[in-house]
Structures are given as C-alpha cells and as structure tokens.
C-alpha cells in the first residue's frame, strides 16, 4: 500500500458559502469548510443537523443550491462523464453499506476498477484480494453480501471504495447501522486508514473515533457549522452553548 | 380420433411455427422492452417522453388492431410489402409485448434499493454502466414473476396470427375442426395440451430462475 494523499498540505476539498434547501427546509446554511490533504475531519452533531447532506454534497450525491465545492482545485462538474470521473476520485462509505447485492464480495471490489478504471480482470482481482485481506475479509471473497455480517459488509464497502484509489474518503455514519460488537472492527480499519494519511471526512456519532483519529472536529447544528476545533479542545472546552448541550447529552452515560 | 393422429405431423409443424413466433417475439420484446425501460428511467427528457408515449399507445391498443395495422394498413403506406408473414407476425407481437416488458422491468427497477444506484454512482459509474452492471441485473431478478406472466400471455397471443394467414397452432386447429367436424373435442384437447406444455416450459423456467437467484439478491 502506497502512502495516500500526502502530497503537500494544500486544501483538497473546499466548501465555499454552500447553501441547500429541501423545499422550505434550509439544510445547509452558508457552509465554509476546508479540508487539507491527509487531514481527517469528523463531522458531528444532532440528527437533522445537515451533516449527512454535507458529506453527500462533496461527491454531488446531493446537489447544492448556492456556493461552490472544489476538489483538488476543480469545481464539481454538474453532471455527465465529468461528474462520474470526479466521483471515481472520491470514495464513499454509506450507513447502509450498499454492496451490490447480485455480485460476490470479490466482484463488488473489482467492478469499479474494471468498468471505470478499465483495469484488466487479473489486475483488478489481485488488488481486490489485497484490499479484502487488508480489511480482514479475504476469506469471504466468494460469498454474496447477504451472507456477511454488517461489520464485514461495511469493511468490504471500505475496500470497494479504496480500490478506486480515491483522493479523499467520505464516511456517512459508517457504524450507525451496526450492532455494537461490530463497530470496533470497522473503526479499526478507519483508524488504520487515517494513520496512513488518507484524507477523510467522517460523519459519525463515535466520539472515541473522533478523539483518536480526527485532526479536526466540525460540529453542526441546524444546517450550520457551529464550531470547528481540535478534538481535545472541542470535547474538553466546547465554546458554543449548542455544542455544550449536545456533548452533555451524549457523554453523560 | 384417428384423423388428428394420422395428421400429427401437421400438428407438430403448426406448433413449431407457434414456437418460432413466440421465441423470436420473446427475444425481440425483451430487447426492445429493456431499451424502453432504459429510456423511461434515463436522464434525457426527450427519450423519456418517447418511451412513455410508446408504452401508452401500444399497451392501450388491442393486439388484433396492431396486427391489422402491420398486415393490412402498413402495406398501403408502402411498409412491410414484401416482408414474410412470420416476420410481420413477430413485429406485431413484439410491438405489443415490449410495452408490457418495459413496465414489468420498471416495476423491477423500482424494487432495487436506491442505495445500489447511489453506490454505483459513487464509484464513478456513468448512467449507462450503472444500468448495465448494477440496476438492470437486479431489476431482472426482481421482475422474473411479472416477466414470466408477460411472456406467457405473449405465447398465447401469437394465436392472433392465425387470422392473418400464418398456419400456427390455432389456425391449424381451426383447419382440423372445419375438416373433421365429428372430432372437435379431441382436436380441442390435443391443441390445448400443446399450449399448456409450451406455457409450462416458461413457468418452470421462471421458477428455476427465481430459485437460482434467491441467494444473490
């Protein structure tokens, strides 16, 4: 595995005055966020605060109504081939895994490299098996997604995203659909990835992960980024009332 | 009884024509129906409009009227003048059936969770790749029961060709009943069994596919 995304420290993803409405609901309000190469940004906040929408906007699974998002200096294309090419550079891991249900684990990881990157079957398979071993599900390669546990499926989903050799990885609540005993196995893979220098945007409720792996925490509420800080500062000395309130609710138990 | 058995080769030849009509129309309908569903769910508004209009027109027109158009009206416009009857029959059945195939497949597409298409988009697949490698294969699996019904109806619908000079099973049955008027019950039973066997092959095929794809969904 080569070092990922550690070339320079310039901004890789920039959100500039981004606004989005769902009908009347102003889900993203004047969002400004810059993510540097190799940086791990954890986005936390109460449900309905717009954090998932923010994450999905970065590869344009959600369109935005105002403002600009740039990846590696390029504004996101509107649609078509150019948008597809951009998405190939952005790995995405979903809350509900979304592995291709009709394909084996191995085929799930090979599909993108073969069809989008036009790699040969042999190359794609070699890479896929390496990645599956790396996330600890190499032995399941010939099975179908429905035959795996949630934690295993999510690790496969991470391998599938990594197979595209993305510049940045987006995680949209990757452990929220998992049974408690499976959360750690997924977080371990993510922590490894962070240590290797992958640029990551992680929407999560896992405060432990935020503390150990994040370079920065962005706290969202009501469609705004209310507070941005290092994890230590954010958790120990939250500045905003909104963040204090949120932390008191989740950290009590 | 003996007349129909003595002429059993005529029965077999008639069913062979029915099979040809059904297989050729079935393949053509699946291809055209798939194309139509791709247009209907695609991002291009003009193509969506064309496919929707096609489905509305062809699904709402009786098959007999489509046959009359292809065999009688169209040649007046200079179309299909020298086209063999079998081909004309296949065209008529296909025009009609493809609209139903499109709708069966669309039901299947709607059964594929949105996350599947999103995951495909997220790894950089274009709309076409997404359809071909992710959405349609799963839609086909979900559509097997309605598609089987559509193809079964189509197989029986090939009997409309009897009216237009194609000596397929129904035409041959009428030929027998006109000629051997004492034996109509036997003739009916023989031809009914023939159709039942054809349709049962389709049912068994669909059942087999459903079982085979059970794990991979």
């Amino acid at each position: 595995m080569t070092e990922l995304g550690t070339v320079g420290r310039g901004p890789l993803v920039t959100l500039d005055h981004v606004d989005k409405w769902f009908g009347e609901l102003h889900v993203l309000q004047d969002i400004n966020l810059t993510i540097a190469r190799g940086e791990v940004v954890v986005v936390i906040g109460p449900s309905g605060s717009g954090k998932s929408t923010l994450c999905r906007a970065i590869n344009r699974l959600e369109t935005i109504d105002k403002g600009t998002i740039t990846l590696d200096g390029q504004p996101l294309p509107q649609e078509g081939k150019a948008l597809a090419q951009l998405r190939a550079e952005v790995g995405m891991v979903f809350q509900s895994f979304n592995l291709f249900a009709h394909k084996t684990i191995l085929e799930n990881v090979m599909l993108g490299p073969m069809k989008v990157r036009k790699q040969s079957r042999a190359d794609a398979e070699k890479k896929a098996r390496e990645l599956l071993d790396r996330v600890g599900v190499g032995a399941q390669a010939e099975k179908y997604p429905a035959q795996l546990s949630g934690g295993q499926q999510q690790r496969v989903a991470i391998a599938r995203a990594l197979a595209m050799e993305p510049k940045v990885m987006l995680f949209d609540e990757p452990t929220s659909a998992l049974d408690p005993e499976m959360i750690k196995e997924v977080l371990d893979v993510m922590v490894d990835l962070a240590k290797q220098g992958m640029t990551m945007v992680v929407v999560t409720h896992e405060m432990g992960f935020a503390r150990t792996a994040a370079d920065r925490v962005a706290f969202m509420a009501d469609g705004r980024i209310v507070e941005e800080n290092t994890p230590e500062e954010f958790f120990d000395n939250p500045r905003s009332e909104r963040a204090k309130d949120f932390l008191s609710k989740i950290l009590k138990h | 009884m003996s007349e129909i058995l003595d002429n059993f080769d005529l029965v077999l030849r008639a069913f062979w024509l029915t099979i040809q009509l059904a297989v050729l129309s079935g393949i053509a309908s699946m291809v055209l129906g798939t194309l139509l569903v791709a247009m209907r769910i695609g991002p291009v508004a003009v193509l969506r409009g064309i496919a929707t209009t096609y489905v509305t027109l062809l699904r709402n027109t009786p098959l007999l009227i489509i046959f009359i158009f292809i065999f009688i009206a169209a040649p007046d416009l200079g179309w299909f003048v020298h086209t063999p009857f079998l081909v004309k029959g296949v065209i008529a059945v296909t025009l009609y059936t493809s609209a139903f195939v499109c709708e069966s497949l669309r039901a299947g597409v709607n059964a594929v969770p949105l996350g599947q298409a999103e995951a495909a988009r997220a790894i950089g697949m274009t709309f076409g790749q997404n359809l071909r490698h992710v959405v349609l294969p799963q839609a086909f699996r979900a559509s097997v029961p309605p598609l089987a019904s559509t193809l079964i109806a189509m197989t029986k619908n090939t009997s409309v060709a009897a009216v237009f000079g194609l000596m397929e099973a129904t035409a041959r049955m009428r030929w027998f009943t006109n000629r051997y008027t004492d034996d109509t019950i036997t003739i009916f039973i023989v031809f009914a069994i023939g159709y039942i066997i054809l349709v049962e092959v389709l049912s068994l095929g669909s059942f087999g596919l459903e079982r085979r794809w059970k794990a991979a969904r």
Side-chain angles (χ1 to χ4, degrees):
Chain A
M1 204 62 215
T2 50
E3 288 278 294
L4 294 156
T6 47
V7 201
R9 292 293 294 188
L12 184 58
V13 181
T14 313
L15 291 90
D16 189 26
H17 296 293
V18 171
D19 279 278
K20 179 179 176 70
W21 285 264
F22 281 129
E24 292 287 294
L25 192 65
H26 199 170
V27 281
L28 295 180
Q29 303 185 26
D30 193 31
I31 300 288
N32 294 287
L33 184 67
T34 303
I35 298 142
R37 275 170 220 283
E39 196 179 18
V40 176
V41 175
V42 164
V43 183
I44 63 173
S47 58
S49 60
K51 52 196 195 306
S52 276
T53 310
L54 170 78
C55 184
R56 289 162 56 84
I58 295 174
N59 68 352
R60 215 178 152 79
L61 282 178
E62 298 286 353
T63 55
I64 56 173
D65 297 313
K66 268 165 81 181
T68 49
I69 300 178
T70 56
L71 179 86
D72 217 357
Q74 303 287 320
L76 299 196
Q78 296 286 308
E79 51 190 71
K81 275 231 158 68
L83 178 58
Q85 272 163 13
L86 171 124
R87 285 185 176 139
E89 309 289 333
V90 181
M92 176 107 193
V93 175
F94 300 87
Q95 179 177 353
S96 50
F97 330 134
N98 295 348
L99 293 181
F100 304 128
H102 63 305
K103 300 219 171 266
T104 65
I105 297 311
L106 186 64
E107 289 166 344
N108 260 276
V109 183
M110 289 166 63
L111 192 65
M114 283 174 64
K115 301 303 172 189
V116 178
R117 297 276 193 231
K118 312 291 182 198
Q119 289 177 15
S120 71
R121 174 169 284 276
D123 288 351
E125 180 170 344
K126 185 167 172 286
K127 183 75 189 287
R129 287 196 188 278
E130 276 173 26
L131 284 167
L132 288 172
D133 284 339
R134 186 171 145 203
V135 299
V137 285
Q140 320 292 332
E142 320 304 328
K143 290 186 182 166
Y144 284 95
Q147 296 168 295
L148 267 59
S149 73
Q152 289 172 325
Q153 288 191 54
Q154 195 60 299
R155 285 182 282 153
V156 175
I158 295 172
R160 175 175 70 179
L162 289 176
M164 301 301 290
E165 300 185 341
K167 290 176 179 164
V168 53
M169 287 278 285
L170 310 175
F171 294 82
D172 184 7
E173 302 203 24
T175 57
S176 299
L178 295 176
D179 291 336
E181 74 270 25
M182 292 169 185
I183 290 175
K184 184 175 179 294
E185 65 192 45
V186 172
L187 291 179
D188 285 347
V189 170
M190 291 168 60
V191 169
D192 276 350
L193 210 52
K195 280 187 190 147
Q196 280 158 12
M198 175 59 85
T199 311
M200 293 162 67
V201 178
V202 184
V203 174
T204 187
H205 297 292
E206 295 300 326
M207 301 305 144
F209 174 81
R211 271 186 187 273
T212 48
D215 296 307
R216 194 148 48 106
V217 170
F219 173 72
M220 280 187 83
D222 304 322
R224 295 177 184 280
I225 295 181
V226 177
E227 198 166 332
E228 253 184 273
N229 217 328
T230 60
E232 296 76 26
E233 272 301 303
F234 176 77
F235 288 113
D236 299 338
N237 301 303
R239 284 171 304 195
S240 62
E241 284 306 313
R242 205 73 178 75
K244 283 177 193 164
D245 182 51
F246 177 73
L247 288 175
S248 74
K249 278 175 185 151
I250 57 162
L251 297 179
K252 274 260 164 69
H253 299 282
Chain B
M1 180 76 196
S2 60
E3 286 89 346
I4 191 165
L5 293 183
D6 288 347
N7 293 296
F8 205 70
D9 60 317
L10 293 180
V11 177
L12 290 180
R13 252 191 286 166
F15 270 108
W16 173 233
L17 186 56
T18 291
I19 291 171
Q20 284 176 290
L21 273 168
V23 170
L24 293 174
S25 307
I27 293 169
S29 299
M30 289 295 293
V31 172
L32 186 55
T34 305
L35 203 68
L36 285 166
V37 81
M39 287 164 70
R40 268 203 95 160
I41 62 175
V44 185
V46 178
L47 296 181
R48 270 205 308 270
I50 291 172
T52 308
T53 310
Y54 177 97
V55 169
T56 306
L57 283 180
L58 275 295
R59 199 163 63 144
N60 296 1
T61 309
L63 177 59
L64 186 60
I65 287 177
I66 296 173
F67 261 91
I68 291 171
F69 175 77
I70 298 291
F71 279 79
I72 297 168
D76 286 345
L77 298 169
W79 302 346
F80 308 130
V81 180
H82 301 292
T83 310
F85 276 25
L86 172 64
V87 177
K88 282 203 266 199
V90 168
I91 290 171
V93 174
T94 299
L95 286 177
Y96 181 75
T97 310
S98 55
F100 290 88
V101 168
C102 169
E103 291 304 280
S104 297
L105 282 176
R106 202 161 63 90
V109 168
N110 290 339
V112 178
L114 194 62
Q116 295 286 308
E118 271 192 351
R121 282 195 280 157
I123 56 171
M125 286 197 170
T126 59
F127 176 76
Q129 290 174 325
N130 196 338
L131 266 193
R132 184 158 158 232
H133 300 296
V134 177
V135 175
L136 281 183
Q138 294 187 65
F140 273 115
R141 287 157 161 80
S143 306
V144 168
L147 276 178
S149 292
T150 301
L151 293 178
I152 285 167
M154 182 208 69
T155 302
K156 296 185 291 181
N157 281 341
T158 59
S159 60
V160 175
V163 187
F164 296 87
L166 277 153
M167 195 46 97
E168 46 67 77
T170 301
R172 182 57 78 187
M173 177 180 167
R174 204 173 45 177
W175 183 89
F176 272 110
T177 52
N178 286 342
R179 193 152 305 208
Y180 308 109
T181 45
D182 299 338
D183 220 8
T184 50
I185 298 298
T186 319
I187 294 166
F188 168 78
I189 290 171
V190 167
F191 279 92
I193 289 173
Y195 274 110
I196 288 169
I197 291 171
L198 285 190
V199 169
E200 201 50 32
V201 169
L202 280 170
S203 304
L204 290 175
S206 122
F207 187 64
L209 282 181
E210 267 187 79
R211 270 213 323 208
R212 193 176 134 195
W213 282 339
K214 213 169 185 180
R217 270 191 64 190

